[in-house]
Amino acid sequence: MTQLSDEQESLRASIKKGAVIWGVVLGVIVAALAYWLLGSQGSMIRQGGAALAGLLVAGGMYRKSMSSGAAGAKCAKCNAAFSVSRTDQAEVLVKSEARESRKELENGDTEITTWVEEIFDCDDTYTCSKCTDVSHKTYQSSRKRDEKVAIKTAGKKGADAGKANNRDKAKQSKGNSQRKG
């Protein structure tokens, strides 16, 4: 490999760090799963199988993540490795809209969630550190803000509701009998 500049070396180290993290995380998950699946085997087979599965998956994930990151950081114009990095990001608000969702709860109440959804047009600028070639990536992004949750009660239910209705009827009949007399 040719001599990399400090900026390229920094980008390469960042990509490598991400690849190592993803490899370790996925390797540990697979090793734990393999250890659990080999539960009926002997201790040595169980531990060896889990370690082997974890190492194979971690190595594969590291290679895939590293090659993907390296390909994304390679300049299409001058072919320099680890030279393309994001230098600017611009966002323009396209639309802001109030949203609401309702969910019926088991007790008959309604959970009302409100928020503001914002849609942005995004433009990322990528620059090569060797040939200073500039490329752009445009996409849309959406975000939630000011999310609030409120509970709307359905009123009295069950035995208490029946008692209230009976009391109201008793008051009405009592009032009617006093008027007659």
Side-chain angles (χ1 to χ4, degrees):
M1 185 180 244
T2 62
Q3 187 66 22
L4 299 177
S5 70
D6 289 341
E7 189 175 328
Q8 288 173 303
E9 206 47 63
S10 155
L11 182 58
R12 184 175 125 350
S14 172
I15 292 170
K16 186 176 183 177
K17 179 182 176 185
V20 167
I21 289 170
W22 279 110
V24 168
V25 167
L26 201 56
V28 166
I29 291 170
V30 168
L33 185 61
Y35 188 80
W36 178 70
L37 289 173
L38 294 172
S40 63
Q41 303 298 317
S43 174
M44 292 297 283
I45 292 174
R46 189 176 188 192
Q47 292 171 359
L52 182 63
L55 286 173
L56 287 174
V57 169
M61 184 62 194
Y62 170 79
R63 289 185 68 197
K64 180 170 176 41
S65 183
M66 191 66 183
S67 66
S68 173
K74 185 176 184 179
C75 180
K77 189 174 181 183
C78 71
N79 239 10
F82 303 107
S83 62
V84 178
S85 61
R86 184 170 68 185
T87 53
D88 191 26
Q89 181 179 25
E91 296 180 336
V92 176
L93 181 64
V94 176
K95 179 170 68 169
S96 182
E97 188 175 350
R99 297 280 191 164
E100 175 182 287
S101 76
R102 293 173 177 261
K103 178 181 164 187
E104 284 291 321
L105 301 176
E106 290 180 16
N107 64 358
D109 294 347
T110 305
E111 179 182 88
I112 303 169
T113 306
T114 59
W115 69 92
V116 176
E117 183 173 15
E118 297 176 327
I119 310 271
F120 292 92
D121 278 339
C122 301
D123 180 33
D124 292 348
T125 304
Y126 294 88
T127 306
C128 175
S129 64
K130 286 283 189 185
C131 68
T132 65
D133 181 46
V134 176
S135 60
H136 292 272
K137 177 183 175 187
T138 57
Y139 56 94
Q140 265 196 345
S141 161
S142 66
R143 291 186 208 131
K144 284 182 177 182
R145 74 173 167 86
D146 300 335
E147 188 174 47
K148 295 176 184 152
V149 177
I151 305 293
K152 181 179 176 185
T153 58
K156 291 187 175 182
K157 290 215 170 211
D160 291 337
K163 290 178 184 176
N165 288 337
N166 290 339
R167 279 190 233 124
D168 291 341
K169 289 177 185 175
K171 285 181 184 176
Q172 286 176 350
S173 65
K174 197 180 222 184
N176 288 341
S177 65
Q178 288 177 352
R179 286 186 202 147
K180 290 180 183 176

